[in-house]
Amino acid sequence: MNERMGVAPRLAVRKVHAAYGPYRALFDVSLHVGAGEVVALLGANGAGKTTIARVVSGLLAPTRGAVFLDGESIGGERPYRIARMGVAHVPEGRSVFSSLTVEENLTLAFRQQLAAREVSSALDEAYVVFPRLRERRAQPAGTLSGGEQRMLALARVLVRPPKVLVADEPSLGLAPVVVADVYRTLDRIRSDGTALLLIEQHVHQAATIADRVVVLKRGRVTFEGPVSALDDSVLTEAIGDQVASGDSPSGSSEPTPPAEDADPFS
């Protein structure tokens, strides 16, 4: 991807503003991700990261600005249409059908993406990436642990690479050994040409595969550049000492009451 040479990035967010009712969450945000590129979107809770994910996937309409996929505006499209265009969104949290088994969750997802003859091989591939899911294949998804439900949510989109993958906190609730597997899979997907917008609080984990970094603070971009240019002063100012040092933030992902202009759901 090279905008200077006139090649449109796979995903582009242009001067986007967004709000939840009276709470303004994003202010003039612009970013882009090229095919086969990983951009890590970093920031403290309430910075607006999840709001960007929702704008890209069509779950939240921007109040101003636009979103482009391969140079074509997707603003105003319904989420299901954006998904069919090749934008996959793995939201923060578990996002599974709790009454269906693990295999039924996967089969339902793969039938929407693949030809019928490909579903069986996709299931096998999902179980190779996440062996625990094979062990739980006949178990209702709602009875899985939090980490296992996270694996299931990821497996539904990681087996067949989309044009764009928005991964919101993919390591949330996972053991370190599983996080390593997830990141190896993300890196493989990037090598297949997917544009990956990676939302993470584990900064050093994100930096292992990211090409560039965008830092948000209170709904505004405060830094954009290569990972090599990201120093501790930028991280500490935008994210805080705990996350900048590589430590995990406090365990709960539940939103706190938002301050004015903060993202109440990030």
Side-chain angles (χ1 to χ4, degrees):
M1 185 284 302
N2 190 333
E3 288 187 286
R4 293 179 180 178
M5 296 178 63
V7 179
R10 177 60 53 84
L11 172 70
V13 176
R14 298 290 183 231
K15 297 184 177 299
V16 161
H17 296 243
Y20 299 95
Y23 296 109
R24 296 190 295 161
L26 298 178
F27 303 86
D28 200 36
V29 170
S30 294
L31 60 86
H32 63 273
V33 190
E37 185 179 30
V38 180
V39 172
L41 184 59
L42 308 177
N45 285 332
K49 306 183 301 299
T50 292
T51 300
I52 288 179
R54 289 172 172 161
V55 168
V56 168
S57 61
L59 296 175
L60 179 68
T63 55
R64 287 165 54 189
V67 179
F68 298 89
L69 178 66
D70 288 329
E72 299 293 327
S73 175
I74 59 175
E77 294 286 357
R78 300 293 296 274
Y80 78 90
R81 290 187 58 83
I82 292 175
R84 288 178 179 175
M85 293 174 189
V87 178
H89 178 196
V90 180
E92 180 182 5
R94 300 172 186 179
S95 62
V96 299
F97 294 105
S98 60
S99 63
L100 301 182
T101 67
V102 166
E103 188 149 308
E104 287 169 342
N105 267 271
L106 292 173
T107 300
L108 181 63
F110 296 155
R111 282 178 176 170
Q112 293 177 323
Q113 304 172 44
L114 308 170
R117 65 181 180 277
E118 297 178 298
V119 171
S120 179
S121 62
L123 285 169
D124 290 339
E125 189 172 350
Y127 294 144
V128 168
V129 176
F130 298 108
R132 180 63 62 86
L133 296 183
R134 182 186 295 275
E135 300 171 12
R136 304 284 192 265
R137 62 196 303 172
Q139 186 172 326
T143 66
L144 299 176
S145 70
E148 289 167 343
Q149 290 189 33
R150 192 66 178 149
M151 291 181 213
L152 179 55
L154 289 165
R156 292 187 306 185
V157 300
L158 295 189
V159 170
R160 287 296 182 269
K163 286 185 177 181
V164 174
L165 174 60
V166 182
D168 195 348
E169 304 286 0
S171 64
L172 184 68
L174 301 183
V177 65
V178 180
V179 171
D181 288 340
V182 168
Y183 269 78
R184 278 193 290 270
T185 303
L186 292 174
D187 198 31
R188 186 203 73 198
I189 286 176
R190 176 260 292 278
S191 69
D192 289 337
T194 292
L196 175 56
L197 182 61
L198 177 61
I199 299 171
E200 261 292 6
Q201 293 243 18
H202 293 82
V203 174
H204 296 286
Q205 185 69 60
T208 62
I209 64 169
D211 300 295
R212 292 185 295 110
V213 171
V214 175
V215 176
L216 285 182
K217 183 176 182 180
R218 296 181 181 176
R220 293 179 170 86
V221 174
T222 60
F223 175 89
E224 181 176 5
V227 173
S228 60
L230 188 65
D231 58 29
D232 287 344
S233 64
V234 174
L235 284 173
T236 300
E237 192 272 337
I239 303 174
D241 293 326
Q242 184 180 29
V243 180
S245 67
D247 295 333
S248 172
S250 58
S252 175
S253 62
E254 292 298 315
T256 55
E260 184 176 0
D261 292 342
D263 178 354
F265 298 99
S266 184

